[in-house]
């Protein structure tokens, strides 16, 4: 039987001389009807380019297919050559036979059209439906991706829906014409873990219902376990290994696959937490950071002249303390207030109420001028592209009134060496460094002022898994060496398990559960903590079905003068308390 | 020196750089008076003489040498263009940065004033200012400068607003960097590229506006030469003496081309991403 899609020796290049500048270098695979192929690789491995070549969208991205063959079996059984197809022919194929969903649902939809009209467009173009028929079809499509209250949602514009809902809409559009092949390019990367779990469950279910084939592209090898039949691992534009799911995950042959599987943080339900640097119970040490009743509210005004009618309660009564040498992880989903908490601690947003006290004593007993420093999520955005590394590292010193003298230069050199960057880095510019190296630079910059607390706001989330593992190692080493206290903000439970001593779970601006890492991860009590833990993808979870839970995070907008009821806490262990759910 | 070498190593930069360099030399020669003939001497016998060995670009209605007048005119026009663009770039950058950084009322006030200025067509606004202040070289400079200030303000404010929200500015705040440090190092430094391109474009526009003002008789006053004035004079004679129009027209066109090519090259060269790492 001929496969649905047969790719042989695909080569894709970019630029003026595509042959010399190949990004995909000879990729071959077959995809049978109803089968799911997962393409796994790190950024720059050519996985997205491969996928975009299949429906020839790569032509619009400046790429040229320089060699190979691509054949698609059409619904009527004829073989269609995707390589030699003309643009009008391809327009008929895209959407009708090959559907595609992208990474960013927020930017893939047109913000000024209702989602209804955007779904109808697909039906109008490929099935010739008009008017009421198209509307009915769109409503069915929304029902199919389990969006509750579909008829009403058709009239919504994208800004009225959450990221997870929008990705459902994208899936609905992609599936509108019952394509026989769905290409999903990192469809859950931009989404929260619990939403990711829902989307993965939905995709798995839809695949069973409709018997379509799927190409699922991801950088997270942990995700493929739940959905793929076959896995292809890509590195530097070549498929280094491909085979059945179980074979790849259990018996990887290629060193790169082994490396990937090793580097991906496996979530172990609290069994892999850190043993070092535990809190010393009886030493009455002064906390490096103590946050007491932190409240951050943003007033809402409908227009310039009117009075505030309500407020966004971004952070609503958060307190914790952080000992020197300790990592407190703050976990939660986007919009839960975890980043706002960090920014308030750093003084980047003004807190409405509450107090912090920061110990200015550092491990080396010097007093630091700025004891709290931060490392940001995106290493590409947090370094000024026009400054040399030397100027970047000098900035904190200049900012605190210091001079760039031999002592400062010596400190720069030693910190660069400490974070594992070459000595000649000082005269270079940020763009000459990779993402992981830039994050090391950010860490070095944060350490220039000898801080006692470092806030790591999703500091490893933007990095590839193998780089991520190394940066985490570096962070742990630095913590031991300098006695740093980390406030580690993350949504990734597996990473948190690696680095945290204590965990605070934050939900709708409030801490719902806090305690030592082992206890929180192994015996979660609060329903939200349980939900977060259940959503973590792991490679041990072969074809396990996620339950679809479409509950949304409650609105944080409260009427003017609203005060939350005081929290009731339940003690679960020596260092583990949970907010009593109402 | 390094930038000069980089310009010569850049494809379109070489052409643009050479054009602008030649113009600059011609402008200096024109300004110091090293022209083939005196630009305002009238050789009555040779009125409307076609280009020849004696008069390379012919003579005009009064028998003045077109080539000499062109050189003097380039000097005159370039002086006005350079000073007016310097004025506009400086004022616009300061206003744009202030609007973006201070935000709120400052932003509103500055940008509304700029909107008012932009509401007038450039030449009309320049005319208004010149009419009030009286014609002359320096009034032209100020008038053209004011006309182009809003464009620089906008060019600076937009990117400055987005830079202000970038993480490296947040990072700088966490170290406690002063506002002046952030504005100069993090905002201004990243604005060099759009500003350079804008400066070269504005030089081209300023040349045109100066020509326009002179054409209307409000810029350079006769008998002094300027590109616009020469075009204006050629208007009625374009059929009998086409060289009167062709040479000033070409001069304006090529200079604008040169500035644009140079601007493109500078934008590439000033981008550290295009710079090779020191070996």
């Amino acid at each position: 039987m001929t496969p649905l899609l047969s790719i042989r020796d695909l080569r894709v290049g970019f630029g003026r001389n595509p042959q010399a500048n190949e990004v995909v270098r000879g990729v071959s695979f077959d995809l049978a009807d109803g089968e799911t192929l997962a393409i796994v690789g790190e950024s720059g491995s050519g996985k997205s380019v491969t996928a975009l070549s299949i429906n020839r969208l790569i032509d619009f991205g400046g790429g040229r297919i320089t060699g190979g063959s691509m054949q698609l079996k059409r619904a009527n059984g004829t073989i269609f050559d995707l390589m030699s197809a003309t643009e009008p022919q391809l327009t008929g194929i895209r959407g009708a036979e090959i559907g595609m969903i992208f990474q960013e649902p927020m930017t893939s939809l047109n913000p000024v059209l209702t989602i209804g009209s955007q779904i109808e467009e697909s039906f109008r173009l490929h099935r010739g439906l008009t008017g009421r028929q198209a509307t009915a079809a769109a409503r069915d499509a929304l029902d199919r991706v389990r969006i509750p209250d579909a008829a009403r949602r058709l009239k919504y514009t994208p800004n009225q829906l959450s990221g997870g809902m929008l990705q459902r809409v994208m899936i609905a559009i992609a599936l509108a014409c019952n394509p026989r092949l769905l290409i999903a390019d990192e469809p859950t990367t931009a989404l929260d873990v619990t939403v990711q779990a829902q989307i993965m469950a939905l995709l798995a279910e839809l695949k069973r219902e409709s018997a379509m084939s799927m190409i699922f592209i991801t950088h997270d090898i942990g995700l493929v376990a739940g959905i793929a039949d076959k896995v292809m691992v890509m590195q530097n534009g070549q498929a280094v290994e491909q085979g059945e799911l179980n074979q790849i995950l259990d018996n990887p042959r290629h060193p790169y696959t082994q490396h990937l599987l090793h580097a991906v943080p496996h979530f172990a339900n609290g069994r892999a937490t850190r043993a070092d640097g535990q809190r010393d119970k009886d030493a009455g040490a002064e906390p490096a950071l103590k946050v007491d009743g932190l409240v951050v509210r943003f007033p809402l005004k409908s227009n310039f002249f009117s009075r505030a009618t309500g407020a966004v309660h971004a952070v609503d009564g958060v307190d914790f303390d952080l000992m020197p040498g300790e990592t407190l992880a703050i976990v939660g989903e986007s919009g839960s207030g975890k980043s706002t908490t960090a920014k308030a601690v750093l003084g980047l947003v003004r807190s409405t109420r509450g107090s912090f006290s920061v110990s200015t004593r550092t491990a080396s007993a010097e007093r630091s001028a700025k004891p709290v420093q931060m490392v940001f999520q995106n290493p590409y955005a947090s370094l000024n592209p026009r400054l040399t590394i030397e100027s970047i590292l000098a900035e904190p010193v200049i900012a605190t009134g210091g001079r760039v003298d031999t002592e400062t230069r010596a400190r720069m050199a030693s910190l660069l060496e400490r974070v594992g960057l070459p000595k000649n880095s000082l005269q270079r510019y940020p763009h000459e460094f990779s993402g992981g190296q830039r994050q090391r630079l950010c860490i070095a910059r944060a350490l220039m002022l000898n801080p006692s607390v470092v806030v790591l706001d999703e500091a490893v989330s933007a990095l590839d898994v193998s780089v991520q593992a190394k940066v985490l190692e570096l962070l742990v080493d630095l913590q031991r060496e300098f006695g740093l206290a980390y406030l580690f903000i993350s949504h990734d439970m597996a990473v948190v398990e690696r680095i945290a001593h204590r965990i605070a779970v934050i939900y709708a601006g409030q801490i719902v559960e806090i305690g030592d890492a082992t206890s929180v991860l192994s015996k979660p009590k609060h329903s939200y903590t349980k939900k977060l833990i259940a959503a973590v993808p792991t490679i041990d979870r072969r074809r396990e079905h996620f339950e679809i839970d479409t509950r949304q995070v409650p609105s944080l907008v409260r009427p003017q003068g609203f005060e939350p009821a005081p929290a009731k806490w339940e003690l679960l262990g020596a260092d583990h308390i949970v907010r009593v759910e109402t | 020196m390094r930038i000069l070498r980089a310009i010569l190593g850049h494809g379109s930069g070489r052409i643009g750089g050479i054009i602008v360099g030649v113009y600059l030399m011609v402008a200096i020669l024109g300004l110091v008076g090293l022209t083939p003939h005196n630009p305002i001497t009238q050789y009555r016998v040779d009125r409307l003489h076609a280009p020849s060995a004696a008069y390379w670009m012919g003579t005009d209605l009064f028998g003045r040498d077109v080539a000499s007048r062109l050189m003097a005119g380039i000097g005159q026009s370039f002086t006005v263009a350079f000073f007016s663009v310097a004025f506009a770039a400086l004022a616009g950058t300061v206003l744009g940065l202030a609007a973006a950084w201070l935000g709120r009322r400052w932003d509103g006030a500055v940008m509304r004033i700029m909107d008012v200025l932009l509401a007038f067509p450039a030449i009309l606004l320049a005319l208004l200012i010149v009419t009030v202040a009286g014609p002359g070289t320096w009034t032209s400079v100020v008038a053209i400068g004011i006309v182009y200030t809003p464009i620089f303000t906008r060019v600076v404010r937009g990117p400055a607003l987005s830079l202000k929200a970038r993480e490296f500015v947040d990072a700088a705040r966490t170290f406690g960097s002063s506002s002046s440090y952030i504005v100069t190092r993090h905002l201004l430094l990243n604005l060099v590229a759009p500003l350079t391109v804008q400066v070269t474009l504005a030089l081209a526009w300023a040349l045109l506006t100066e020509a326009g003002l002179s054409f209307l008789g409000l810029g350079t006053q006769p008998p002094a030469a300027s590109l616009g004035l020469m075009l204006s004079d050629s208007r009625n004679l374009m059929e009998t003496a086409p060289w009167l129009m062709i040479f000033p027209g070409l001069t304006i066109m090529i200079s604008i081309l040169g500035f644009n090519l140079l601007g493109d090259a500078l934008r590439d060269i000033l981008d550290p991403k295009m710079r090779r790492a020191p070996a």
Side-chain angles (χ1 to χ4, degrees), chain A residues 35-347:
Chain A
E35 204 173 43
T36 297
L37 171 76
I39 305 183
V40 186
E42 300 195 328
S43 46
S45 62
K47 54 189 194 304
S48 290
V49 173
T50 306
L52 287 173
S53 305
I54 295 168
N55 55 8
R56 294 280 300 277
L57 278 178
I58 199 73
D59 298 7
F60 300 100
R64 285 284 166 274
I65 297 173
T66 50
S69 73
M70 295 194 295
Q71 286 175 328
L72 176 78
K73 188 176 72 176
R74 298 194 66 160
N76 55 17
T78 54
I79 300 291
F80 180 77
D81 184 10
L82 287 165
M83 295 286 294
S84 60
T86 60
E87 189 52 37
Q89 283 177 314
L90 287 167
T91 315
I93 294 279
R94 291 185 200 124
E97 306 228 4
I98 305 178
M100 177 137 192
I101 39 181
F102 296 92
Q103 179 172 345
E104 278 282 356
M106 290 81 169
T107 52
S108 308
L109 286 163
N110 185 337
V112 297
L113 295 177
T114 62
I115 59 164
S117 64
Q118 296 185 57
I119 302 173
E120 284 169 30
E121 186 187 353
S122 189
F123 287 108
R124 271 201 305 273
L125 286 178
H126 294 292
R127 294 237 210 112
L129 298 183
T130 48
R132 215 167 275 158
Q133 279 178 312
T135 312
R139 199 181 55 236
D140 289 345
L142 279 191
D143 274 335
R144 201 169 155 204
V145 293
R146 280 103 180 146
I147 289 184
D149 205 3
R152 201 159 54 85
R153 301 272 165 118
L154 284 176
K155 297 193 185 69
Y156 282 28
T157 45
N159 64 308
Q160 292 170 293
L161 293 167
S162 66
M165 282 295 171
L166 289 179
Q167 196 59 293
R168 284 165 199 268
V169 172
M170 285 305 294
I171 296 174
I173 293 173
L175 297 184
C177 298
N178 286 320
R180 289 159 55 248
L181 173 62
L182 178 68
I183 301 173
D185 186 1
E186 305 250 13
T188 60
T189 308
L191 305 174
D192 279 320
V193 265
T194 57
V195 182
Q196 164 172 298
Q198 293 166 19
I199 296 289
M200 293 303 291
L202 176 68
L203 283 174
E205 239 176 83
L206 290 171
K207 196 172 77 96
R208 273 197 305 280
E209 280 174 14
S210 59
M212 67 177 172
S213 304
M214 182 153 73
I215 294 177
F216 185 86
I217 299 157
T218 182
H219 65 280
D220 185 354
I221 204 165
L223 265 184
V224 307
I227 196 157
D229 302 303
K230 289 203 296 191
V231 180
M232 177 162 93
V233 181
M234 285 191 70
Q235 185 189 21
N236 294 333
Q238 284 169 323
V240 295
E241 184 164 4
Q242 48 181 316
E244 297 295 319
L245 175 75
N246 290 337
Q247 183 216 323
I248 297 272
L249 293 188
D250 298 331
N251 289 312
R253 298 247 177 77
H254 194 276
Y256 182 68
T257 316
Q258 290 164 357
H259 167 72
L260 266 188
L261 280 167
H262 178 72
V264 67
H266 299 290
F267 183 65
N269 289 82
R271 289 190 301 277
T273 49
R274 286 171 67 180
D276 66 311
Q278 289 300 327
R279 224 171 225 220
D280 205 350
K281 302 231 168 22
D282 20 63
E286 184 193 352
L289 170 69
K290 188 169 172 55
V291 173
D292 210 6
L294 177 68
V295 175
V296 181
R297 288 176 191 166
F298 302 106
L300 278 183
K301 286 181 181 180
S302 50
N303 67 54
F304 186 76
F305 297 103
S306 64
R307 284 181 43 218
T309 49
V312 178
H313 287 216
V315 178
D316 222 352
V318 160
D319 24 25
F320 57 84
D321 51 8
L322 181 61
M323 293 294 170
E326 185 181 69
T327 306
L328 173 70
I330 298 185
V331 294
E333 288 175 280
S334 50
S336 61
K338 54 190 195 318
S339 286
T340 312
T341 306
K343 286 191 170 160
V345 169
L346 282 153

Side-chain angles (χ1 to χ4, degrees), chain B residues 84-104:
Chain B
S84 58
V85 170
F87 177 94
L90 196 70
T93 307
V94 170
L95 286 172
L97 282 175
W101 187 252
L102 300 171
R104 291 167 174 269

Side-chain angles (χ1 to χ4, degrees), chain A residues 390-534:
Chain A
E390 183 171 11
S391 313
I392 287 172
L393 291 181
E395 185 177 353
V397 178
I398 295 170
T400 46
R403 292 225 326 273
V404 184
D405 45 21
T406 33
E407 196 189 331
T408 316
R409 277 179 220 280
R411 183 162 174 77
M412 288 180 192
S414 76
L415 276 175
L416 276 184
E417 199 189 331
R418 189 64 201 76
V419 298
L421 287 173
K423 281 217 182 73
N424 63 1
S425 305
L426 284 177
Q427 300 310 321
R428 290 158 71 181
Y429 286 88
H431 69 91
E432 296 171 48
F433 295 90
S434 68
Q437 286 179 318
R438 286 186 204 205
Q439 204 57 305
R440 286 165 193 265
L441 279 172
C442 293
I443 294 169
R445 176 173 64 176
L447 295 182
M448 279 302 287
L449 290 180
N450 217 349
S452 50
V453 179
V454 179
V455 177
L456 302 157
D457 188 359
E458 300 272 8
V460 296
S461 310
L463 306 174
D464 279 328
V465 276
S466 55
V467 180
Q468 190 179 55
K470 288 195 192 113
V471 172
L472 279 178
E473 258 169 51
L474 172 70
L475 286 171
V476 171
D477 287 347
L478 290 172
Q479 182 167 48
R480 286 202 200 110
E481 191 173 326
F482 298 110
L484 299 169
Y486 288 154
L487 196 60
F488 191 89
I489 292 159
S490 183
H491 68 279
D492 187 338
M493 294 303 246
V495 167
V496 162
E497 189 178 25
R498 282 304 116 87
I499 193 162
H501 297 109
R502 301 181 75 231
I503 292 176
V505 181
I506 192 162
Y507 178 66
Q510 297 173 322
I511 291 181
V512 294
E513 189 159 3
I514 182 169
D516 72 283
T518 320
S519 180
V520 170
L521 293 179
S522 60
K523 298 190 285 281
K525 178 74 199 296
H526 197 274
S527 64
Y528 182 68
T529 316
K530 288 181 183 161
K531 186 174 154 190
L532 269 184
I533 289 175

Side-chain angles (χ1 to χ4, degrees), chain B residues 162-196:
Chain B
S162 94
L163 287 168
K164 189 182 160 190
R166 292 278 286 277
E167 279 187 349
F168 55 77
V169 173
D170 267 353
R173 288 205 182 112
T174 67
F175 317 132
S177 288
S178 62
S179 291
S180 63
Y181 187 91
I182 296 179
V183 168
T184 51
R185 301 284 272 180
H186 292 312
L187 302 191
L188 194 55
L189 204 56
N190 278 294
L191 290 168
V192 167
L195 269 176
T196 325

